[in-house]
Every structure is written in C-alpha cells, then in structure tokens.
Amino acid sequence: MANSKYEYVKRFEVEDEVMYPNIIVVQIAGRNFHRFSEEHGFEKPNDEKALNLMNASATKVLENFSDVVFGYGFSDEYSFVLKKETTFYQRRASKILSIIVSFFTSAYATKWKEFFPLKELNLSPSFRSRIICCASMEVLQAYLAWRQSECHLNNQYNTCLWKLIFSGTSEKEAKEILKGTQKQEKNELLFRQFGINYKDLPQILRQGSCAVKIKVEDIVKYRENGAPVKRPRKKAVIVHSENIATKGFWNNYSCLTEELGSLGEGINKIKPEFLRSFKFQSKLMLSTWIVIRVDGCHFHRFCEDNGFQKPNDEQALKLMNSCAISLVEMCKDIIFAYGVSDEFSFVLKKDSLLYQRHSSEIISAIVSLFSSMYVMKWKEFFPENDFKEPPYFDGRSVCYPSSKILRDYLAWRQVDCHINNQYNTCFWMLVKSGKSRTEAQSCLKGTQAQEKNELLAQFGIDYDALPIMFRMGSSVFRDKEELSGTDIGRDKVVVEHCNIIEESFWKEHPRILGEEAEEKHVIPLL
C-alpha cells in the first residue's frame, strides 16, 4: 500500500485468526435458494443435475486449494475441511470464508451450462459462509455426523412432502399429515401410498456427497523405448457413504488420515446446540459505518491469463463497476462504493442491521454476489473471450465510528489509486520500451511524483490527460434522477470518476452519508 496521511485508518482493522489447534471447517449454504430453484425450474424434491453441479463446484475447490482436504455436501450446502496444521491466509477467518465462498460461487456460475445447457442463468447464484472451529477430531466427527443426519432427515421429509403434493394434496395439508411423524412412519407412508422403498433412492439423495482427494499418476511423456513417464498427483473425486463419520470410511483415504488424523470408533447421540457453539461468529459494532472491501485474489495471474491490457484495461474496470452497480441496486443498505483496479469498498449505512450485523454473513453475501455478477457479466465486456479459471475475491469488514474517519478511509483508497496508477503507467511504458521488469523497477525506485510525470513526458504522455477513471477510480452511489415535466425525482445508481478527498463532493451529495437528514433534525440550542 502507498504511504499517505490517511493510513492511520488501517488501525481499525481487527484480526480474526482462528487459533491452532482448532480444525477449520468452512460451511457454505445457498442464499435465497428457494427462489433460485423456482426461477430455474429445479425438480422437486431433488434435482440431481443441481446436486451434481454443487459437487463439480466442490471438487474444483479441492483441486484449486491444496489446504482443503475434504468436503461434504447435500442440497444447497457444502462443508469444507482444511488440513489440521493449515496456515492458509494465516488462518484469518474473514479471508478464508470469503475466498472459499467466492471461488465456489464463481465455479458454480461458470459450470452452469455443463449441467443445464438449455437453461439461462437468470438469477445470480450466491452463498453465505461461516467458519466452524472444531477443537478436536471428536468435534469434527460429531459435526460431520450431524450434517449427514440432517441430509437424511431433510431428504426423507421432502420426499414425503412432494409425493403428497404431486398426488393432489395441498402443501398445507401435506405438512399437517407429516407433522410429528417419525422416520419409520415416513418410510411406511412412502412404501404404502407410493410404492417407494426409501433405501432404493439414489445414494446422492439419501447420503449426501463427499469430495475427497485420491492419489493418481498422470503420464507426462514417453521415453524413446515407449515406456511412460508418470507423475503422481492428488485428484478430487466424489464418493458416497452411508456413514462418513466412522473410522472405516475415513481410513479408506490416506489424505484424510495424513492431513487430519484418525477418527474414533463411534460417537454418541449428537446435540446440535453443542455443535453450534463452535461457530466462529462476531457482530459488528452498532452505530458504526461498516466497510466491506472486496479484493481480487491472484489477479496478476488472472490478468495475464486473459490478456488484459497494461497498465489498465478499460473493459475490465467497467466490468468491476457494473458488478458494483448491481450490488448497490440490490442492497439498499449499501450507500456508497469506491473501486480501483481489482478492488471495491462497499459502505453500509451507519444504522444498518443487515444480517443482524454478523460479520461473516455480510462479508460472504457481498463477496459471493460480486463473484457471481463478475462471471455472469463477463461476456458483456469480453464477448470473444472465455476466462481460463474462475475469478475469485477475498473480503474483510472494518467498522469506522465517524463520518470523518470513513471519509479518510475512502481518501486513503483514492490516494492509493493515484500513486499505484502513476507507478504502473511508468513501469509498463518502460517495459514496452524494451527494459526488463527488473530494470523498470530499478529505474522507478525512490522516484517522486514529479519525476514520474517527467519520465512519462519522455514518452509523450501527459499524466493529467489520462482517462479520469484510471486516475480517480470509480464512485458508485444513488443520486436523484430528475424526471422531465415534474419536480419529483427518483433514485438512480450512478458511477462518477471524481475527487472524493475534497469537501466539495460530499457537500454536493449530502444524502450519501445522511448529512442532509442530520441538518434537518438539528436541535436548536436554548
């Protein structure tokens, strides 16, 4: 980060490290998936294509992140277990949960057409995520047994419910029939009324799915005598088991015992309230401005892979802006967003009660939606290109107690925008002129702003004449749209490239931080 007088705002960031020896589990679950399922015509009670899409996204997570060694999923939920001694992003909860949910969401949206080639993705799929801290292997074992038990109970209930509805019973009547019934009674209902033996239903529905890594050997080349040269690697696969929380299942996969350890022989009856106590959750302080900063992960590589122009790709920046606009339109609690390069900061109103101010819920919802939008909007800005690997982002939340400190945070990001853009413009002009990247870095080491401007002048570039979006970044907010022939206006989300450090911007737009409302409710001194 560039040095500036505004850097003090970094002190408001709070560390959220998950302490060793806790085993980290990232649990993700669909947001508004009832509506999503209805919109896309998923079969009831289960759509196997949708479940296989979830599994394909999960295996992609295991293949992309070596620290994720196991996954278990059913319906619209997946739990990912990280290896016991992981230092993945130094065990910071917000980083881990946001990266996993972002990558999973991008993979889900990217792979949609593989499983639903005739259906358009009309709504943005999004997921929420949270961290579960398992203090021991016994707790992890109990957690996995609990989730598989939930899979069975939910599937059995939903199978009965929808069979009754399909037979002509109303949904209300069907729920009344099933109220208070036990497992055996549901099995008898399915068999007697519909000729269904519950145990004959597909394993993926009754048992859920496990994503595990197995060791395989790939042929990388052949010797002159025709003998293959093999290279070992770990491959993610989907398996099904009646009981995943047993020693017998666990010992079948060396990756699990090597990276996590062994399970016990068995566990007693699970109490969900006990397991819920291991959720890693924190509430953000009331009456503070919440900022969620979304930042691209490994975007240097992503830019290289997709041939982005250097030092700035205008279409890529417009894609980021379009995603931010959609988020501001969808979430009324977001009152301002500022973006530069591969990052965007979203400001939530001071009195926001979004997700009861649970940090993990807010971070994961915004990061997941942003990732989903990025994938879905890609073709609008790059119609001739397909990205090679799913883009993904990390997120963090920070609370700022006053409007002044919030504005200093935004000023810090805009100062960074200018300094980084000026440096990158110089750097890439030097590289394009024939210098190596190391030589370009040496040329720029220790140079001041004026010296960089003089260097650019040698290439015939007036820095102040470069596109304002590159120099100022992008501000996204709601503004009044005046309708012709009437004094009544309506809110419209706009993008402006302007100086948000100066007082003038905030005076022109007092509604953003509610300063207009505060002025109207000033209590006069007696």
Side-chain angles (χ1 to χ4, degrees):
M1 294 293 182
N3 293 320
S4 74
K5 68 177 183 179
Y6 302 109
E7 283 214 342
Y8 79 91
V9 298
K10 290 195 288 187
R11 299 175 200 159
F12 289 88
E13 295 184 11
V14 178
E15 293 295 326
D16 56 355
E17 181 182 350
V18 180
M19 301 305 293
Y20 183 82
N22 284 298
I23 298 168
I24 299 172
V25 178
V26 182
Q27 184 193 73
I28 71 168
R31 287 182 62 257
N32 300 324
F33 250 58
H34 286 295
R35 182 188 170 203
F36 184 84
S37 301
E38 293 287 341
E39 176 68 25
H40 295 97
F42 284 4
E43 294 180 6
K44 302 292 185 182
N46 294 288
D47 190 304
E48 286 197 51
K49 288 182 180 178
L51 294 175
N52 286 325
L53 172 55
M54 291 286 291
N55 289 343
S57 304
T59 56
K60 193 73 177 171
V61 169
L62 265 69
E63 288 169 354
N64 196 71
F65 302 108
S66 60
D67 283 53
V68 181
V69 295
F70 182 71
Y72 174 73
F74 65 95
S75 186
D76 61 352
E77 172 188 315
Y78 240 99
S79 295
F80 295 100
V81 184
L82 277 66
K83 62 184 182 182
K84 196 169 189 176
E85 297 185 1
T86 183
T87 56
F88 188 59
Y89 284 88
Q90 301 305 308
R91 301 177 70 94
R92 287 184 61 182
S94 57
K95 282 270 191 180
I96 296 170
L97 70 87
S98 59
I99 286 170
I100 298 298
V101 78
S102 174
F103 188 88
F104 187 93
T105 305
S106 286
Y108 189 97
T110 302
K111 289 179 171 292
W112 174 266
K113 280 294 183 182
E114 292 180 28
F115 296 88
F116 298 100
L118 302 179
K119 290 183 180 180
E120 289 299 321
L121 191 54
N122 297 322
L123 289 179
S124 301
S126 65
F127 301 82
R128 55 181 172 81
S129 61
R130 64 186 63 170
I131 296 290
I132 310 293
C133 298
C134 294
S136 64
M137 284 298 291
E138 289 75 22
V139 175
L140 175 62
Q141 187 175 11
Y143 172 80
L144 293 174
W146 172 42
R147 298 323 299 148
Q148 189 166 42
S149 174
E150 286 293 300
C151 168
H152 163 64
L153 292 173
N154 291 345
N155 180 65
Q156 190 184 45
Y157 178 89
N158 288 331
T159 303
C160 292
L161 177 72
W162 285 100
K163 284 297 178 183
L164 287 168
I165 292 172
F166 292 151
S167 70
T169 307
S170 71
E171 185 172 346
K172 184 178 179 180
E173 290 171 334
K175 288 180 178 178
E176 192 61 35
I177 291 170
L178 294 173
K179 190 176 181 180
T181 55
Q182 302 301 308
K183 292 181 187 179
Q184 187 58 37
E185 293 171 296
K186 293 186 181 75
N187 283 342
E188 290 174 0
L189 184 151
L190 287 173
F191 188 75
R192 289 176 181 174
Q193 291 194 33
F194 306 106
I196 295 174
N197 185 336
Y198 183 75
K199 290 184 178 180
D200 290 339
L201 292 178
Q203 287 179 305
I204 191 174
L205 309 183
R206 294 181 291 109
Q207 300 170 358
S209 302
C210 299
V212 296
K213 292 177 180 177
I214 60 172
K215 294 177 181 178
V216 297
E217 288 186 332
D218 289 337
I219 298 174
V220 292
K221 64 178 181 179
Y222 290 90
R223 293 191 176 92
E224 291 182 2
N225 62 3
V229 177
K230 297 181 179 180
R231 181 174 59 192
R233 71 176 179 92
K234 291 178 180 177
K235 178 184 178 182
V237 296
I238 295 294
V239 298
H240 306 283
S241 173
E242 189 173 353
N243 194 337
I244 62 171
T246 60
K247 194 172 183 179
F249 170 78
W250 210 252
N251 289 347
N252 286 332
Y253 303 97
S254 59
C255 182
L256 299 180
T257 54
E258 289 169 5
E259 301 288 8
L260 287 165
S262 299
L263 292 183
E265 290 296 337
I267 52 175
N268 297 322
K269 189 175 180 181
I270 309 151
K271 293 183 178 180
E273 59 272 16
F274 166 73
L275 293 168
R276 291 190 188 104
S277 68
F278 290 95
K279 290 179 183 177
F280 189 95
Q281 278 193 334
S282 62
K283 278 192 173 184
L284 300 171
M285 189 179 294
L286 290 169
S287 299
T288 58
W289 299 100
I290 299 172
V291 173
I292 305 296
R293 187 158 85 239
V294 176
D295 207 345
C297 284
H298 300 296
F299 253 59
H300 287 294
R301 186 173 66 198
F302 184 80
C303 294
E304 293 283 347
D305 288 345
N306 293 286
F308 283 5
Q309 294 179 14
K310 302 292 186 180
N312 293 287
D313 190 300
E314 190 169 352
Q315 288 299 99
L317 293 174
K318 287 180 177 178
L319 170 55
M320 292 286 290
N321 292 347
S322 181
C323 296
I325 290 169
S326 294
L327 268 175
V328 175
E329 288 175 340
M330 292 171 68
C331 182
K332 297 301 181 185
D333 280 43
I334 299 175
I335 48 96
F336 187 79
Y338 176 75
V340 53
S341 185
D342 62 349
E343 78 167 57
F344 244 100
S345 295
F346 296 93
V347 181
L348 276 66
K349 60 186 181 181
K350 202 170 186 178
D351 59 353
S352 173
L353 293 176
L354 184 66
Y355 296 113
Q356 290 74 53
R357 296 178 78 94
H358 281 294
S359 178
S360 62
E361 297 274 346
I362 299 172
I363 292 171
S364 59
I366 288 177
V367 172
S368 181
L369 268 173
F370 194 91
S371 305
S372 183
M373 293 288 184
Y374 196 95
V375 172
M376 292 178 68
K377 290 174 176 286
W378 175 266
K379 283 293 185 180
E380 294 178 29
F381 297 89
F382 298 98
E384 297 179 1
N385 296 339
D386 292 318
F387 46 75
K388 296 179 180 179
E389 289 295 328
Y392 61 104
F393 303 81
D394 69 49
R396 71 192 71 183
S397 62
V398 190
C399 293
Y400 295 107
S402 69
S403 299
K404 179 188 180 303
I405 298 174
L406 171 64
R407 283 176 50 187
D408 282 353
Y409 166 82
L410 295 169
W412 171 48
R413 302 316 307 134
Q414 189 162 54
V415 167
D416 239 26
C417 169
H418 160 66
I419 293 175
N420 291 341
N421 181 63
Q422 190 184 45
Y423 179 92
N424 289 333
T425 304
C426 292
F427 176 83
W428 285 105
M429 289 310 299
L430 288 168
V431 170
K432 290 174 182 178
S433 71
K435 291 188 181 296
S436 69
R437 296 190 182 193
T438 303
E439 289 171 335
Q441 287 172 343
S442 297
C443 288
L444 293 172
K445 190 175 182 180
T447 56
Q448 302 301 309
Q450 184 57 38
E451 293 170 292
K452 292 186 181 75
N453 283 341
E454 290 170 0
L455 187 151
L456 289 174
Q458 295 175 24
F459 294 103
I461 295 174
D462 177 1
Y463 181 78
D464 291 334
L466 291 176
I468 193 169
M469 179 167 62
F470 301 166
R471 294 181 288 112
M472 293 283 192
S474 301
S475 297
V476 181
F477 55 95
R478 293 180 188 85
D479 205 4
K480 283 290 183 185
E481 179 185 30
E482 293 184 5
L483 303 179
S484 58
T486 177
D487 293 328
I488 300 173
R490 63 184 179 189
D491 280 346
K492 178 185 178 183
V493 177
V494 298
V495 180
E496 290 190 6
H497 314 291
C498 50
N499 188 332
I500 59 173
I501 299 174
E502 299 296 331
E503 186 79 22
S504 56
F505 172 81
W506 302 101
K507 284 186 175 180
E508 288 175 19
H509 305 283
R511 294 175 65 240
I512 294 174
L513 300 183
E515 291 168 354
E516 183 179 65
E518 288 176 9
E519 289 174 7
K520 290 179 180 178
H521 293 88
V522 171
I523 300 174
L525 294 174
L526 298 177

